[in-house]
Amino acid sequence: SLREFPATALTRDPAGLKDAARKSPVIITEHKRPRFVLMSYDQFEQLTRAARDQGRASGIEERPQGRGS
């Protein structure tokens, strides 16, 4: 399971938050509800590469997102 951090960790313990996110994506919560995910850029690249590869395998083309999308 992913580690959770309150949004206050962004200002109170940014080093600890970044250290945890280097190892695995972390969930940032506000009022005990998941709101954001923080991950390393390498993890992000792997995730987007896998999504693109899966889209190609299923015949789904990636479309540019317009404003407000």
Side-chain angles (χ1 to χ4, degrees):
S1 120
L2 299 178
R3 289 183 64 186
E4 292 187 11
F5 289 83
T8 56
L10 292 166
T11 55
R12 291 185 182 167
D13 187 19
L17 188 57
K18 289 189 292 187
D19 186 49
R22 278 186 194 94
K23 299 172 187 164
S24 176
V26 297
I27 297 170
I28 307 296
T29 62
E30 290 179 335
H31 306 288
K32 299 184 182 181
R33 300 174 95 179
R35 296 293 185 203
F36 305 96
V37 175
L38 179 67
M39 64 180 73
S40 71
Y41 188 76
D42 289 340
Q43 293 165 346
F44 173 75
E45 282 188 316
Q46 290 174 1
L47 181 65
T48 55
R49 188 178 314 117
R52 279 192 309 267
D53 292 348
Q54 185 177 6
R56 284 189 203 120
S58 64
I60 298 172
E61 298 275 334
E62 188 174 320
R63 295 183 188 182
Q65 297 276 329
R67 288 186 181 201
S69 299

